[in-house]
Amino acid sequence: DIQMTQSPSSLSASVGDRVTITCRASQSIRSDLSWYQQRPGTAPKLLIFSASSLQSGVPSRFSGSGSGTDFTLTISSLQPEDFATYYCQQSYTNPETFGQGTRVEIK
Amino acid sequence: EVQLVESGGGLVQPGGSLRLSCAVSGFTFRNYWMYWVRQAPGEGLVWVSRINPDGSYTNYADSVKGRFTISRDNAKNTLYLQMNSLRAEDTAVYYCAKDLALSDNGAEFDYWGQGTLVTVSS
């Protein structure tokens, strides 16, 4: 199985900060990577697919980049509703695997 | 509005069975691959199973293969997960999810249900 490793596992940031989360795959996954946001007690929400495509309805402060093994999710100006856990997920091969998550907390 | 609503979770003893349902609306169910994803308490997300639009192809994580069966009823707009021989490690919130791509197995999950909790304990 392809291992997905996110860093950091958690971070503290303030409203308005620029936040970057990285995701590394154990082998090349081309651009077959998605990012999800999960607020406590709720289902995950798709933010980014195909590494850099913004899902419909998602604010433009979210962006994704990368290909091969290294990927990045960036939030350009953190908003109060962005405090959540973020997961990357590869869809290159079965079984599709997720990163362990990055918890974004209020500083 | 797209909606996915799971039901059927609960407390079950080790070795027992449960059937989860996911009733969908707001899109043409018969045209999409569908999935189950689970999340153990305080843990991350794990893909469990997939099924193609007409139900002729299914696929499972190794951890549930031979014990779980995914199915669908396109006339009822409902996805199912039959879970047998349940173990403590199957305790999780189970989510059904829809593929982003029409008629394609992209495994990008654009809509999720609210989840249903399965607890396996004696």
Side-chain angles (χ1 to χ4, degrees), chain A residues 1 31-34 36 38 41-46 49-50 55 87 89-91 94-100, chain B residues 35 37 39 43-47 50 57 59-62 95 100 105-115:
Chain A
D1 298 0
S31 295
D32 296 335
L33 184 102
S34 300
Y36 298 86
Q38 187 177 33
T42 70
K45 173 186 175 183
L46 178 65
F49 62 95
S50 299
Q55 171 64 351
Y87 294 93
Q89 175 236 335
Q90 65 83 15
S91 54
N94 181 252
E96 290 77 11
T97 45
F98 292 84
Q100 83 280 10
Chain B
Y35 306 83
V37 176
Q39 186 171 36
E43 301 294 323
L45 300 164
V46 178
W47 168 81
R50 62 161 44 81
Y57 175 83
N59 177 227
Y60 301 92
D62 286 346
Y95 296 100
L100 172 68
N105 176 23
E108 296 157 332
F109 312 128
D110 65 341
Y111 285 94
W112 299 60
Q114 84 286 357

Side-chain angles (χ1 to χ4, degrees), chain B residues 22-105:
Chain B
C22 171
V24 313
S25 60
F27 67 99
T28 307
F29 179 63
R30 66 179 181 272
N31 288 344
Y32 288 88
W33 288 73
M34 296 294 296
Y35 306 83
W36 288 98
V37 176
R38 69 184 182 184
Q39 186 171 36
E43 301 294 323
L45 300 164
V46 178
W47 168 81
V48 172
S49 183
R50 62 161 44 81
I51 188 167
N52 71 339
D54 68 7
S56 61
Y57 175 83
T58 61
N59 177 227
Y60 301 92
D62 286 346
S63 59
V64 307
K65 199 173 297 181
R67 300 188 298 123
F68 290 11
T69 302
I70 189 172
S71 62
R72 64 193 296 162
D73 185 334
N74 286 345
K76 295 183 177 179
N77 287 342
T78 303
L79 176 73
Y80 302 100
L81 186 68
Q82 177 67 43
M83 304 186 296
N84 298 331
S85 303
L86 283 161
R87 306 166 179 167
E89 55 264 36
D90 296 319
T91 294
V93 173
Y94 285 74
Y95 296 100
C96 59
K98 169 190 168 291
D99 202 297
L100 172 68
L102 178 66
S103 300
D104 192 15
N105 176 23

Side-chain angles (χ1 to χ4, degrees), chain A:
Chain A
D1 298 0
I2 295 177
Q3 305 303 313
M4 307 299 294
T5 303
Q6 291 181 230
S7 60
S9 295
S10 66
L11 65 89
S12 295
S14 300
V15 172
D17 283 355
R18 182 182 182 89
V19 169
T20 299
I21 299 168
T22 64
C23 178
R24 175 165 288 176
S26 59
Q27 66 183 73
S28 177
I29 57 170
R30 303 183 308 191
S31 295
D32 296 335
L33 184 102
S34 300
W35 289 97
Y36 298 86
Q37 175 194 66
Q38 187 177 33
R39 298 188 180 105
T42 70
K45 173 186 175 183
L46 178 65
L47 301 175
I48 301 286
F49 62 95
S50 299
S52 60
S53 296
L54 191 69
Q55 171 64 351
S56 175
V58 173
S60 59
R61 63 181 180 273
F62 291 93
S63 63
S65 65
S67 66
T69 61
D70 293 310
F71 302 86
T72 299
L73 173 71
T74 299
I75 309 172
S76 61
S77 178
L78 199 65
Q79 298 302 300
E81 60 269 30
D82 300 337
F83 292 95
T85 299
Y86 294 84
Y87 294 93
C88 62
Q89 175 236 335
Q90 65 83 15
S91 54
Y92 176 73
T93 190
N94 181 252
E96 290 77 11
T97 45
F98 292 84
Q100 83 280 10
T102 295
R103 185 172 180 179
V104 176
E105 300 175 321
I106 300 173
K107 181 182 282 185

